[in-house]
Structure formats: structure tokens, C-alpha cells
Amino acid sequence: MKKIKEDEESHQDYDRPEQAVQPQRSMGYGESSVASLAEGSLFDRDEHSHNSPNPLSLPRVFTPATGCTNFSDFLVQSFVARLRVGIVVIKHGRSRVWGSSKKSVLTGDGRILTWHPYQDNDSTSTTVPNHKNTSSPKSSPKKKKTIYQSIHKLDLATCQEVRHAWTTDPRAPGFVGTPILRQKCHVSQAHKSFALVFPHRTLDITAVTADQCRVLTQGFSALCYRLHTSSSHRKQVSPPEI
């Protein structure tokens, strides 16, 4: 009798309906992309949600990354110093080709953000051979120089949002990130990916580490906020035209 009673209890537990899970909306890019992060199911949304207004938020002008509230002089100056040196990231291109996600170097002067392809000592430099007495031991060493095929520029004063890969896309309710991140960012890399949203394009980035992603999102949020507030202040105090 005892065994029968235990079996009945186990059947009751098995038949008990499980807790309902919110269905994820299909993004059309497959489960291996950040598209499968719809509704934030793979992240603790309570950890990243804030009911209080963000001091860096400028309505209809600029939205900082979730959780970024610091815009101190030290943070901005330190971040600009890093940009001047160069920061290596993975940049996801706007081409539909999957291989357009490449390692790039972000640089900037505090307002204009540029990037170019990353090139190490072997693949980055072009070798110019010395044709004079190449067999002589006294021949001069080969000269190396780095040639960048293209350098792109964006004005950070026009950046409208710094958006994490798991942050809801306001233009596509039920989706997260950006169309490019949903297409090209692997779900395992989403925790260290973000995008800079501009009026006519996005700059979609995957950091090398999660810590670097945190530094970049905080730095870009603070820097863009400062640029927006300083430009609006100049408009208010600018002398009248004569």
C-alpha cells in the first residue's frame, strides 16, 4: 500500500502542469544568433532594469546604455585617452555576408570616432624589399609600413543611443539589439556586444571581454552625454546674429 501511494504521488507530480514560460518571438535568424535573446530570456532582466530615470538620458536626444549613470570628468577623460591609443574590438559590418564581422581598431579624439581594420605585425604591414645587394650581409633591413585601406568616421555628438545586445529595440517591439546584431552576433557573444545608434546607421560591436564591453558602454554613454549637453549649452548661450 505504501508503494502504491508513493506511485500515485509521483504521478500527481508528473501530471502537475509546469510553470508557464513566456514564448520567444522568432527573429528569422536562427537560434545561434542574438535573435534568440528575444524577451531577455537568457539574462536576468531584473538586474539590468531600472525604474528610476537615468541621469544620462536626454528625452528624444540620447539614451545611454542600461545601468550607465556615471559621467564624471575622470571617466570621460580616461575613456578619451583610451580612444586616442586605440581599442581593439570585433566590428560587425553592414554587409549581409557573415564574414563581414572583423577585428577592428576604434580610435577617436573625443568627438570624431574612427575605425580601421586590425593588422598585426605579420598581416598588417606591407614589406618593401631592398633590391640593392640583397645577398650582402650589410644590406639594410626590410622596411615595413602599415597601409589602411579605408578609415571611417562618425560624429559622436550625433549618437542617439548606446544599446546593449540584450536591450529591447524600440523600432521592433519584441526584438533586442539591432538588426545587424540579431543577424551576425552569436548568442554566446551577446553579453559583451552593443551598438552605437546614429540617425542613419548603427555601429555594431562585440568586445573582446565582458569587462571591456562594460568600459566601452560606460565610456561612450558618458562621452556622448557630455557632447550632447555641451552642444545644447552652446546653442543657448550663443550670441545673437547681427
Side-chain angles (χ1 to χ4, degrees):
M1 292 294 294
K2 183 177 181 181
K3 184 177 181 179
I4 295 175
K5 187 175 295 184
E6 291 176 353
D7 292 339
E8 291 178 353
E9 292 177 355
S10 63
H11 282 295
Q12 290 177 359
D13 293 337
Y14 180 81
D15 296 334
R16 185 178 302 166
E18 296 181 355
Q19 185 177 359
V21 179
Q22 293 182 356
Q24 295 184 359
R25 184 175 178 180
S26 175
M27 301 299 196
Y29 294 107
E31 296 179 356
S32 61
S33 68
V34 75
S36 61
L37 295 180
E39 307 298 338
S41 60
L42 298 184
F43 294 91
D44 185 1
R45 285 174 291 175
D46 295 335
E47 179 183 354
H48 303 290
S49 60
H50 300 274
N51 295 327
S52 58
N54 193 315
L56 273 66
S57 180
L58 301 173
R60 298 183 180 181
V61 177
F62 176 70
T63 303
T66 305
C68 296
T69 59
N70 185 4
F71 57 97
S72 64
D73 292 339
F74 176 78
L75 174 61
V76 174
Q77 293 172 4
S78 299
F79 183 67
V80 172
R82 290 194 180 195
L83 280 178
R84 292 183 186 277
V85 176
I87 303 175
V88 179
V89 298
I90 300 296
K91 178 190 170 294
H92 302 288
R94 292 183 289 175
S95 171
R96 293 182 179 273
V97 181
W98 179 269
S100 60
S101 299
K102 298 179 180 179
K103 186 180 291 187
S104 303
V105 180
L106 298 178
T107 58
D109 59 359
R111 174 161 181 168
I112 302 301
L113 179 67
T114 64
W115 65 93
H116 57 78
Y118 172 82
Q119 300 176 339
D120 54 31
N121 292 333
D122 295 327
S123 61
T124 67
S125 53
T126 57
T127 303
V128 180
N130 181 13
H131 297 286
K132 296 181 180 180
N133 299 327
T134 55
S135 60
S136 174
K138 295 183 180 180
S139 60
S140 60
K142 296 179 180 180
K143 297 180 181 180
K144 294 182 178 181
K145 61 180 180 179
T146 301
I147 300 177
Y148 302 123
Q149 296 180 351
S150 59
I151 297 180
H152 307 270
K153 297 181 180 180
L154 284 173
D155 188 352
L156 290 175
T158 63
C159 180
Q160 298 175 331
E161 183 181 357
V162 181
R163 185 185 303 167
H164 286 290
W166 40 256
T167 300
T168 302
D169 187 347
R171 294 187 177 183
F175 293 80
V176 293
T178 64
I180 294 178
L181 286 178
R182 292 194 292 269
Q183 179 183 4
K184 298 184 178 180
C185 180
H186 193 275
V187 64
S188 63
Q189 306 295 320
H191 68 286
K192 55 181 182 179
S193 301
F194 68 98
L196 302 179
V197 181
F198 293 86
H200 303 295
R201 64 161 295 167
T202 60
L203 182 61
D204 303 85
I205 296 169
T206 294
V208 178
T209 64
D211 289 337
Q212 186 196 48
C213 180
R214 190 175 300 108
V215 170
L216 290 173
T217 52
Q218 290 178 346
F220 279 121
S221 295
L223 178 58
C224 293
Y225 171 80
R226 287 294 190 92
L227 291 173
H228 279 294
T229 53
S230 61
S231 61
S232 61
H233 177 71
R234 285 195 297 268
K235 292 179 181 179
Q236 293 177 359
V237 301
S238 58
E241 297 181 0
I242 299 176

